[in-house]
């Protein structure tokens, strides 16, 4: 059974000043399984935040169902949300308190009289060690680096021993070392504790290093759901051609192979399932100087741009400039 199951969820808001209703999320379905890190990506305004709010109980779906650990969040809200840990961008904490005292306070709020002091201390020790902050537990939180604060935020989200962890922009503003620390922690939680993790972020290259599966949302609809392996294979391999005869090469690729190439960083890029040797041979016979022809795997960014049709990209904001770049 999936840890998170979203079934045909729609969220509709009333239009402003009597306008037409707005569907922020439309008939959306997906799952998150134990031991899986799922990347949830989409352009700004695509519906990501609305979906995360519904999963965490901060918004009510207009239709559809959400199950967490088999509990319907609409009918068994307490049981469902007791299995969830979450942080949204910058976690809240008392900066003049130590990291340990922040966790003690939050633990007591969540558990009231349900747990003993010994259980509380054991849980806090465990989560601090999981996020690598045990040796800094007595430091004032104000002195923590941004990366340490993010790790303390993850520790806060782990206090209730969740089976589902939801993170929105967990590496926002971090340096490369801090980003790797967060990635290593999440990978450890998924592989060792079989935790299901749903991560929303705009850092697509980092998401590709971290996640096992990717769900892409655009205009409230699910437009793609694929594994990390499928990302590299989708739409055929991408070839990169370095040549001094760009215009001639574009013509040959179009005429001989019906391939549409685009200019990226001064080189031609195009997708094709044909052998690179066959393409190179035809280019050379047609008088094109081939400096280099390489094959690269598709990146999550490539898939994202194709899935969302480049919405919000340069071609939409500066159409004249985009056309000039292609020439």
């Amino acid at each position: 059974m999936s840890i998170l199951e979203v079934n045909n969820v729609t969220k509709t808001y009333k239009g402003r000043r009597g306008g037409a209703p707005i569907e922020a999320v439309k008939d959306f379905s997906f799952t998150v399984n134990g031991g899986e890190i799922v990347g949830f990506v989409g352009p700004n305004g695509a519906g990501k935040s609305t979906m995360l709010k519904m999963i965490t109980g901060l918004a009510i779906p207009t239709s559809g169902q959400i199950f967490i650990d088999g509990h319907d969040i609409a009918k068994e809200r307490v049981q469902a949300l007791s299995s969830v840990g979450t942080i949204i961008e910058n976690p809240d904490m008392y900066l003049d308190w130590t990291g340990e005292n922040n966790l003690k306070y939050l633990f007591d709020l969540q558990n009231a009289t349900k747990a003993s002091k010994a259980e509380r201390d054991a849980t806090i020790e465990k989560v601090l060690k999981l996020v690598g902050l045990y040796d800094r537990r007595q430091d004032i939180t104000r002195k923590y680096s941004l990366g340490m604060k993010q790790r303390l935020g993850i520790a806060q989200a782990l206090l209730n021993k969740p089976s589902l962890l939801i993170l929105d922009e967990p590496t926002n503003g971090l340096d490369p070392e801090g980003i790797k620390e967060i990635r290593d922690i999440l990978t450890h939680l998924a592989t060792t504790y079989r935790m299901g993790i749903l991560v929303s972020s705009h850092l697509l290259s980092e998401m590709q290093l971290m996640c096992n599966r990717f769900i892409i949302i655009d205009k409230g609809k699910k437009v793609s759901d694929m594994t990390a392996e499928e990302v590299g294979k989708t739409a055929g391999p991408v070839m990169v051609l370095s040549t001094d005869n760009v215009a001639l090469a574009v013509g040959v690729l179009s005429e001989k192979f019906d391939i549409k190439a685009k200019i990226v960083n001064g080189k031609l890029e195009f997708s094709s399932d044909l052998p690179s040797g066959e393409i190179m041979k035809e280019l050379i016979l047609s008088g094109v100087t081939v400096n280099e022809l390489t094959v690269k795997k598709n990146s999550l960014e490539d898939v994202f741009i194709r899935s969302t049709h480049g919405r919000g990209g340069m071609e939409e904001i500066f159409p004249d400039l985009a056309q000039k770049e292609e020439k």
Side-chain angles (χ1 to χ4, degrees):
M1 181 177 66
S2 300
I3 291 176
L4 171 65
E5 187 176 340
V6 176
N7 294 330
N8 307 111
V9 166
T10 294
K11 180 62 178 177
T12 303
Y13 292 101
K14 292 182 180 180
R16 293 182 178 178
R17 299 178 181 177
I22 299 171
E23 281 191 316
V25 175
K26 307 173 186 178
D27 195 28
F28 209 101
S29 299
F30 72 98
T31 61
V32 175
N33 302 312
E36 187 177 44
I37 304 178
V38 177
F40 191 43
V41 297
N44 290 331
K48 299 189 303 297
S49 295
T50 299
M51 177 59 75
L52 294 181
K53 287 178 181 178
M54 289 189 287
I55 295 171
T56 54
L58 299 177
I60 300 174
T62 304
S63 62
Q65 292 178 296
I66 298 173
F67 295 90
I68 302 172
D69 269 347
H71 298 289
D72 187 334
I73 194 170
K75 300 177 181 178
E76 304 170 284
R77 179 184 176 88
V78 174
Q79 296 94 319
L81 294 181
S82 67
S83 298
V84 180
T86 182
I87 58 171
I88 306 298
E89 291 193 5
N90 300 318
D92 289 328
M93 58 191 67
Y94 290 100
L95 297 180
D96 292 327
W97 292 8
T98 66
E100 184 177 53
N101 283 341
N102 268 286
L103 295 179
K104 286 181 178 179
Y105 177 71
L106 185 58
F107 184 96
D108 289 341
L109 281 180
Q110 292 176 344
N111 292 273
T113 59
K114 296 179 183 178
S116 67
K117 181 178 180 297
E119 290 175 311
R120 181 193 70 180
D121 293 345
T123 299
I124 290 173
E125 179 180 343
K126 183 175 182 178
V127 298
L128 281 170
K129 287 180 177 178
L130 278 173
V131 301
L133 286 177
Y134 185 72
D135 292 339
R136 304 293 298 274
R137 66 190 184 280
Q138 295 297 335
D139 290 3
I140 299 299
T141 308
R142 187 181 302 279
K143 297 180 180 180
Y144 281 8
S145 67
L146 181 57
M148 292 170 67
K149 290 175 183 174
Q150 289 294 88
R151 284 188 277 147
L152 184 62
I154 293 176
Q156 291 175 332
L158 296 175
L159 285 175
N160 64 331
K161 302 176 183 177
S163 54
L164 175 66
L165 186 62
I166 299 175
L167 307 174
D168 187 15
E169 299 289 353
T171 58
N172 190 29
L174 299 187
D175 59 20
E177 182 179 0
I179 291 174
K180 185 179 184 304
E181 289 173 347
I182 299 297
R183 183 174 72 236
D184 290 345
I185 291 169
L186 298 185
T187 301
H188 177 71
L189 291 173
T191 57
T192 304
Y193 296 95
R194 304 301 298 167
M195 194 176 294
I197 302 176
L198 181 64
V199 183
S200 176
S201 176
H202 287 99
L203 298 178
L204 300 185
S205 58
E206 179 57 34
M207 293 280 274
Q208 192 161 8
L209 292 174
M210 182 193 313
C211 300
N212 312 110
R213 187 157 61 89
F214 305 95
I215 296 168
I216 299 178
I217 181 175
D218 189 29
K219 299 178 182 178
K221 296 181 178 180
K222 183 174 70 176
V223 295
S224 184
D225 184 344
M226 60 180 63
T227 65
E229 291 76 15
E230 290 170 335
V231 166
K233 297 176 181 177
T234 185
V238 175
M239 297 190 184
V240 182
L241 172 65
S242 174
T243 177
D244 299 327
N245 315 111
V246 173
L248 178 59
V250 169
V252 172
L253 291 170
S254 177
E255 181 181 346
K256 300 293 184 179
F257 303 106
D258 194 25
I259 291 174
K260 184 177 180 180
K262 62 180 180 180
I263 301 174
V264 179
N265 297 325
K267 298 181 180 180
L268 289 178
E269 288 194 5
F270 54 91
S271 295
S272 177
D273 291 318
L274 294 171
S276 58
E278 181 179 340
I279 295 176
M280 182 181 293
K281 177 181 177 182
E282 191 62 47
L283 288 168
I284 293 173
L285 290 175
S286 300
V288 177
T289 302
V290 178
N291 298 326
E292 185 180 34
L293 180 61
T294 57
V295 179
K296 72 172 185 178
K297 288 185 177 181
N298 280 290
S299 66
L300 179 59
E301 181 178 293
D302 296 326
V303 175
F304 177 84
I305 295 298
R306 282 197 297 271
S307 298
T308 60
H309 306 291
R311 190 161 72 85
M314 185 180 73
E315 67 281 2
E316 179 176 322
I317 302 170
F318 301 112
D320 296 336
L321 181 59
Q323 292 172 8
K324 182 178 179 181
E325 176 72 14
E326 291 178 356
K327 292 181 180 179

